[in-house]
Every structure is written in structure tokens, then in C-alpha cells.
Amino acid sequence: MVNELATELFLKSAARASQLGCRVESVAGAQILDAGVNTRGSLQAGRVLAQLCMGTLAEIALLPADPAVLVSNNQVHVQTDHPVMACLGSQYAGWPVSADDYFAMGSGPMRLCRGREETLKQLNLSESGAGPIVGILESESLPTASAIELIAQQCGVSTTALRLAIAPSTCIAGSYQVVARSIETAMHKLHELNFDVTKITSATGTAPLPPPAKTGDTVGGIGRTNDAMLYGATVTFWTDATDEEIERVASDIPSCASRDYGRPFANIFKDYEYDFYKVDPLLFSPASVTIHSLQSGHSWTHGRIETDILRQSFVSQ
């Protein structure tokens, strides 16, 4: 079970929290790994968060990048042979955790226990049990007791069964785990295009790790991590689908298929009054996607890296 696998990594990471630049906290009985709220975090902590997000069903590494193309010296590389469970069952940030006194975007295998999202229902993805269960929160503050109680109640476990890792998108660990979502964004786009994602057997993805936004600049942090995906990410799929099935969707997967494509995300976000739900949902996908057919041996590539837009986003004026 995915939560069981993630719990093992969580406990090992919590035991060496200080080495990761993290702190272990307790809120309402839940164990919290703080990777960037009241700590500095680290690159290694970002890798741990990304692995937890994917239920440990992926290999994730920070590799050198060509700065002339990606405007960064580093890129996050992700590889999985379990793309449906790792990305849509676990990693997708499909749970807006909202209590009276707290809000965070929730991801990770705890979503499988909650089981309320349409995507999970459509793909018949779920887990049950008394726990422990593991989740990741994207927020600038630690969860409150009421938020912990809400998560536990909706997942059907006690608060003491919760293992939660947390970091804002503006910190180094938070940026890393967001940029590790290259495959996930493409998988979600494919699902929205009514492609049978269970026919995706393996996937790889890379995206540049952007420089940090200045302290307190949440919009800047969101802008840079989104631009890393929209204009710098490259994803490759291996799929057991027919050429006709692939051709129907291939050109619509990359971000360039969106009407909002072509400007730094912070500018787009501002024009929509900082409301994610007003942004064209077709925008949230990688810059370039390649699909290999295991049936025919044919390949398709659509989209492109936009170095100039990455430069506008990453380089301070």
C-alpha cells in the first residue's frame, strides 16, 4: 500500500530532520515534518517531499541543466513505472484543505484514503485502513488543530495516525517538490482530454529548478515554479495505446495549447486577480511532451521550451 511505503520514508526522514534542515512538530497528535515554515529546509528535504508526494513510487534527482536553454544550472528529473498511482493517485494537489482558521493545498497518498476527488473515483484509486497515512501540505504556516482534525476525519483515521510534511512554495524544499510535478501535470492533462491514462506504462520528466523568490513574495514564488513547468518542463511517455488514440490528444497536451500561453505566470495570475480558477485549465501542463507507442514504435513530440520567457521570470531586473 502506498501510504505504508510513504510512512517508512517519512519516519526515516523525521529521524534525521536536523540533517535535512527540518524540524519535527506535533499538532493535535499528528506528526509534522516542517521543511520550510519555521526552518530553512534544504535541497534534500525537497527531494524527500517530492518522493512522499509520489508515494515513493518514483526516482527523483537533481541534475545539471544547460543554463543557455533552461536559465538554471539545475533541473529536477523524475522517473516512474507507476505513473497513474504515483501522479494521479498520490502527487496531484487535488485537496484544498480548508478549515475555519487554516488553508493549504493537500497532496500525497492521504488523498487515497479520503477518496472524494472525481479523478480518484474515475480511476478507482483508493486505500483504507487505520493508518498511518502520509500527506504533504503547501502552506506558509503549520496546520492548526482544527485542520488536523478535519484531515483525520475525512481520511477516516485518528489524528495520531497522520504524518504530514509541509513547506511553502517560496522555500527551497517547496520549490523542489513543485518542480518535481512535470509528469503529474501531463498525466492530469491527458486525463482531462479523456485519454485512457492507464495505458501509460512509464514516464520521465525534467523541469528547471528556478531561483528562489524573495522572502514573502508568494506570487513571485508561484510564478517561477509555474513558469518552470509551463515553459521549461519536458515529459516523455511510453504507452500501450493505438496511434489513433495518441494522435487524437498529442498536440493538445503541452501548455502551448492554452489561450493563456506566452507570458510569465505571475503576469497571467495578476490579470485574473490572483484566482487560479479563472486561468485556462489547459495551461497547466509541461512545455514539451513526447509519446512513444509500444504498439507501433511511432513517436510524437509537441510543444517547445521557451527560454526567453524563463529568462523574464527567473532573472531579476
Side-chain angles (χ1 to χ4, degrees), residues 118-131:
E118 285 303 313
T119 297
L120 297 177
K121 294 177 183 178
Q122 291 163 1
L123 294 171
N124 196 30
L125 299 172
S126 65
E127 281 191 359
S128 61

Side-chain angles (χ1 to χ4, degrees), residues 24 47 55-56 58 79 128 138 155 161-162 167 230 245 266 294 314:
V24 177
R47 180 172 177 268
T56 74
Q79 170 187 329
S128 61
E138 186 179 320
C155 291
L162 296 181
L230 306 178
E245 289 175 301
L294 297 173
F314 293 179

Side-chain angles (χ1 to χ4, degrees), residues 251-312:
S251 63
D252 291 329
I253 307 171
S255 55
C256 59
S258 166
R259 66 175 185 269
D260 285 331
Y261 178 87
R263 294 184 297 146
F265 185 77
N267 296 348
I268 298 170
F269 201 28
K270 180 180 179 181
D271 287 348
Y272 285 118
E273 300 174 323
Y274 306 108
D275 185 343
F276 269 109
Y277 296 101
K278 292 181 180 179
V279 181
D280 179 11
L282 295 179
L283 180 66
F284 298 105
S285 46
S288 176
V289 178
T290 294
I291 304 178
H292 301 308
S293 170
L294 297 173
Q295 292 189 15
S296 68
H298 296 156
S299 297
W300 295 256
T301 297
H302 291 278
R304 58 193 177 275
I305 302 297
E306 295 282 8
T307 301
D308 288 344
I309 300 176
L310 291 175
R311 188 171 293 111
Q312 291 178 54

Side-chain angles (χ1 to χ4, degrees), residues 113 129-133 148-149 151-162:
C113 297
I133 64 172
I148 293 296
E149 290 163 4
I151 294 170
Q153 184 272 325
Q154 292 195 8
C155 291
V157 299
S158 67
T159 59
T160 56
L162 296 181

Side-chain angles (χ1 to χ4, degrees), residues 118-189:
E118 285 303 313
T119 297
L120 297 177
K121 294 177 183 178
Q122 291 163 1
L123 294 171
N124 196 30
L125 299 172
S126 65
E127 281 191 359
S128 61
I133 64 172
V134 176
I136 287 76
L137 300 177
E138 186 179 320
S139 176
E140 295 183 351
S141 59
L142 296 181
T144 60
S146 62
I148 293 296
E149 290 163 4
L150 180 146
I151 294 170
Q153 184 272 325
Q154 292 195 8
C155 291
V157 299
S158 67
T159 59
T160 56
L162 296 181
R163 305 289 182 266
L164 302 174
I166 184 168
S169 62
T170 51
C171 76
I172 191 169
S175 294
Y176 190 124
Q177 74 89 3
V178 171
V179 172
R181 295 172 180 268
S182 52
I183 300 173
E184 177 253 294
T185 59
M187 289 288 291
H188 186 258
K189 184 74 163 288

